[in-house]
Amino acid sequence: MISLDNPRDSAERVVSDLLRVPSLADELGRIFATHGHTLHLVGGTVRDALLGKLTATGATGGAPDLDFTTDARPERVLEITRGWAEATWEAGIAFGTVGLARRGARLEVTTYRAENYDRGSRNPTVSYGDSLDGDLVRRDFTVNAMAVSVPDHQFVDLFGGMADLSRGVLRTPGPPAVSLDDDPLRILRAIRFEAQLGLTPTPELVAAMTARADRLKIVAPERVRDELRKLIVAADPAAGLARLVDTGAAAVVLPELPALRMEIDEHHQHKDVYTHTLTVLRQAIDLEDEGPDEVLRWAALLHDIGKPRTRRHAPGGGVSFHHHEVVGRDMTRRRLAALRFPKDVADAVTSLVFLHLRFHGYGSGEWTDSAVRRYVHDAGPQLRRLHKLVRSDCTTRNKRKAAMLARHYDSLEERIAALAAQEEISAIRPELSGDDIMEILGLKPSRLVGEARQHMLDFRFDMGLVGRDAAVAELLRWARKRGLAVPGTPAGSGESATSPGDHA
């Protein structure tokens, strides 16, 4: 956080930080000034500069993304930047935003505006404003309502955003109820900023968020999804998720999370699944290798969402959650589909939720090589994430039990590595392809070919690599048992010989 010992020095510091990107910001500012318009860097660009996160090369080493506000209308922005911008996009023009690209940087220029929802709307309605002051007061939070003019670098902070940033406080420029009524998505944005930047919402803001959580129902699923995806990869998503639940917002946008707060009575003791879930999420984050892993984090958050629907009380005080991984898989798929998640992300998360309990059948190493191969095959490209999820899922306070589970998983990983050294197990497939099967058995494409291929895959799991001749012999044996006419055996002979690969 910045220091406010000398406010003037702080104001000069933001200008100094922004001067690291003058070649684009000032260049564009001069174009606007030449055409009689004002231009200000605004919002997250200024906030990140105050936090020391904005450099000439951007936060992640690439060219910076810059946000501007202007008195020019969108059509005018396109007109005066024609020839200067290397590319433009108009996807946001209905909301007053024009996108520009130059020298690898993405710049968004938005006309002074005011936006709000009516009670039945799923998207904001936009009206253009005529002043910078009017534009800043309608912004979501004071820390995003600061501006710096370009090219002359006059710092504008009408609502104390710099002071709030220094104190770690999240406030709205105007009354919070009005701000959240203008755009209910700001409830999720407040939660995300708490998780991302460590800014604590004021009590007044929290009260307004809680009172208006139900209004999130009118927000388009895609906008909700985008905020939740940013939240899950924040520095401290567990803090944001707790706020999501406490304000009632989760009950609207992610109801499976508060449902984990199942009542626990003295006769049926079991672990608090909600608290356990947040612990698993934190432990999964600790195992990340290279920055936030969105798929792993979603899997950690959703891995037990099937428990409330599968909880059963047993005589004597026991509690069971049989098949909660199957129910959880289906619930995960439906929720991520409702939020319009990309298919690849949804498929990966769903697979991990389904597989997270598989290891617990491993015991102290009783699995056959076939079972280990199946584990690797079913995990597919998610195997490394599955390793991390399973390890994170151990939250017992019993140190001896935790150590035992860790040893067992170490053993499983060692066996996977040993098998991988002998054969390719990361992409196991039958030694005979579908074309091979059709040629050998004289079949045309059909369900029977699929059944034969599945049998040969099971045979591959059980026996490992046996070579083409042995694989062909097994296919013929299977076909004869099925009563198929194959070379050397009359149809319907019903040969009864069996082998370790017999799965018919």
Side-chain angles (χ1 to χ4, degrees):
M1 290 297 176
I2 59 174
S3 169
L4 288 183
D5 293 340
N6 188 328
R8 180 179 179 82
D9 288 346
S10 296
E12 290 175 352
R13 174 181 169 183
V14 68
V15 172
S16 176
D17 279 340
L18 289 170
L19 281 173
R20 299 179 186 182
V21 288
S23 59
L24 281 178
D26 287 351
E27 195 175 315
L28 186 59
R30 282 190 288 271
I31 291 173
F32 273 71
T34 298
H35 288 83
H37 295 288
T38 61
L39 187 69
H40 287 78
L41 281 160
V42 72
T45 298
V46 179
R47 182 197 69 227
D48 288 347
L50 279 165
L51 292 171
K53 295 181 178 180
L54 183 70
T55 68
T57 56
T60 58
D65 292 342
L66 303 175
D67 294 325
F68 299 86
T69 189
T70 181
D71 60 339
R73 296 294 191 262
E75 296 77 11
R76 180 64 170 157
V77 173
L78 287 169
E79 178 185 347
I80 66 180
T81 59
R82 187 174 296 118
W84 180 84
E86 296 165 357
T88 62
W89 56 95
E90 303 177 25
I93 202 165
F95 302 104
T97 299
V98 172
L100 309 173
R102 185 170 174 85
R103 296 203 294 270
R106 179 185 177 105
L107 305 90
E108 292 195 345
V109 182
T110 302
T111 304
Y112 296 157
R113 66 186 185 184
E115 63 184 27
N116 56 68
Y117 275 81
D118 60 43
R119 285 288 168 178
S121 173
R122 294 186 69 84
N123 289 298
T125 57
V126 175
S127 60
Y128 295 129
D130 296 314
S131 70
L132 176 65
D133 292 8
D135 181 84
L136 295 179
V137 74
R138 69 98 197 158
R139 290 183 176 266
D140 52 5
F141 307 111
T142 61
V143 297
N144 292 332
M146 299 176 286
V148 174
S149 63
V150 285
D152 55 347
H153 305 155
Q154 295 299 308
F155 180 50
V156 181
D157 182 13
L158 303 176
F159 307 103
M162 188 163 60
D164 287 343
L165 200 59
S166 176
R167 296 194 303 266
V169 171
L170 196 64
R171 282 191 308 118
T172 55
V178 174
S179 179
L180 300 187
D181 282 342
D182 282 348
D183 185 354
L185 187 72
R186 290 173 176 176
I187 297 170
L188 300 187
R189 287 176 61 81
I191 291 167
R192 193 242 301 177
F193 283 132
E194 182 171 14
Q196 187 178 60
L197 301 174
L199 301 175
T200 303
T202 63
E204 295 79 12
L205 177 54
V206 172
M209 291 162 62
T210 304
R212 286 158 178 76
D214 197 56
R215 291 208 70 214
L216 284 166
K217 292 177 180 178
I218 71 170
V219 180
E222 293 82 359
R223 299 185 75 214
V224 171
R225 172 203 63 206
D226 290 346
E227 282 301 322
L228 292 177
R229 294 188 72 183
K230 292 174 184 177
L231 168 60
I232 202 70
V233 296
D236 187 9
L241 292 164
R243 181 77 71 182
L244 192 74
V245 171
D246 292 343
T247 57
V252 179
V253 301
L254 197 62
E256 295 81 2
L257 184 58
L260 295 177
R261 283 180 157 176
M262 294 180 288
E263 181 181 353
I264 303 174
D265 62 56
E266 60 181 332
H267 301 295
H268 297 94
Q269 292 295 326
H270 62 82
K271 190 178 298 182
D272 178 353
V273 182
Y274 172 74
T275 301
H276 163 76
T277 294
L278 295 185
T279 301
V280 172
L281 174 59
R282 292 188 182 99
Q283 293 183 168
I285 291 171
D286 289 340
L287 296 179
E288 290 175 339
D289 298 317
E290 299 177 359
D293 184 336
E294 181 187 6
V295 168
L296 176 63
R297 293 186 182 197
W298 276 114
L301 182 65
L302 301 177
H303 77 285
D304 274 347
I305 62 171
K307 280 190 170 181
R309 294 189 183 180
T310 58
R311 180 173 63 168
R312 299 292 182 271
H313 296 306
V319 177
S320 68
F321 304 98
H322 293 312
H323 306 302
H324 77 267
E325 75 281 10
V326 178
V327 173
R329 173 197 62 192
D330 296 341
M331 292 173 65
T332 297
R333 182 182 293 117
R334 287 193 296 270
R335 175 53 53 198
L336 297 185
L339 288 168
R340 314 288 199 271
F341 263 65
K343 186 177 184 302
D344 59 336
V345 176
D347 287 349
V349 175
T350 299
S351 175
L352 288 167
V353 170
F354 176 58
L355 293 172
H356 82 276
L357 276 188
R358 182 79 62 86
F359 160 72
H360 293 283
Y362 184 74
S364 57
E366 297 89 349
W367 278 9
T368 62
D369 285 351
S370 173
V372 175
R373 292 187 187 101
R374 289 176 186 274
Y375 188 79
V376 174
H377 175 270
D378 291 350
Q382 304 308 320
L383 182 62
R384 290 189 65 198
R385 288 187 173 115
L386 183 58
H387 290 333
K388 295 174 184 177
L389 178 60
V390 172
R391 291 184 181 277
S392 302
D393 196 23
C394 177
T395 61
T396 178
R397 295 181 181 179
N398 185 321
K399 293 183 179 180
R400 191 167 69 87
K401 182 179 179 181
M404 179 188 68
L405 289 171
R407 286 195 304 272
H408 289 172
Y409 208 85
D410 289 343
S411 170
L412 175 57
E413 288 201 69
E414 289 165 4
R415 290 186 63 188
I416 291 172
L419 279 174
Q422 301 170 28
E423 56 184 278
E424 177 56 61
I425 64 170
S426 62
I428 290 178
R429 61 192 65 187
E431 290 188 74
L432 300 177
S433 68
D435 289 341
D436 292 334
I437 291 169
M438 288 188 288
E439 179 180 351
I440 293 167
L441 298 182
L443 298 174
K444 294 181 178 180
S446 64
R447 187 176 67 178
L448 190 60
V449 176
E451 292 174 1
R453 189 182 186 282
Q454 182 59 52
H455 173 78
M456 295 308 298
L457 178 60
D458 291 338
F459 181 73
R460 170 74 172 81
F461 285 138
D462 289 342
M463 305 304 293
L465 291 170
V466 297
R468 181 177 175 83
D469 289 346
V472 170
E474 173 61 23
L475 176 64
L476 293 174
R477 188 205 62 77
W478 175 84
R480 293 183 188 112
K481 190 173 180 64
R482 291 292 299 266
L484 300 179
V486 297
T489 303
S493 66
E495 183 179 329
S496 60
T498 60
S499 77
D502 189 356
H503 295 275

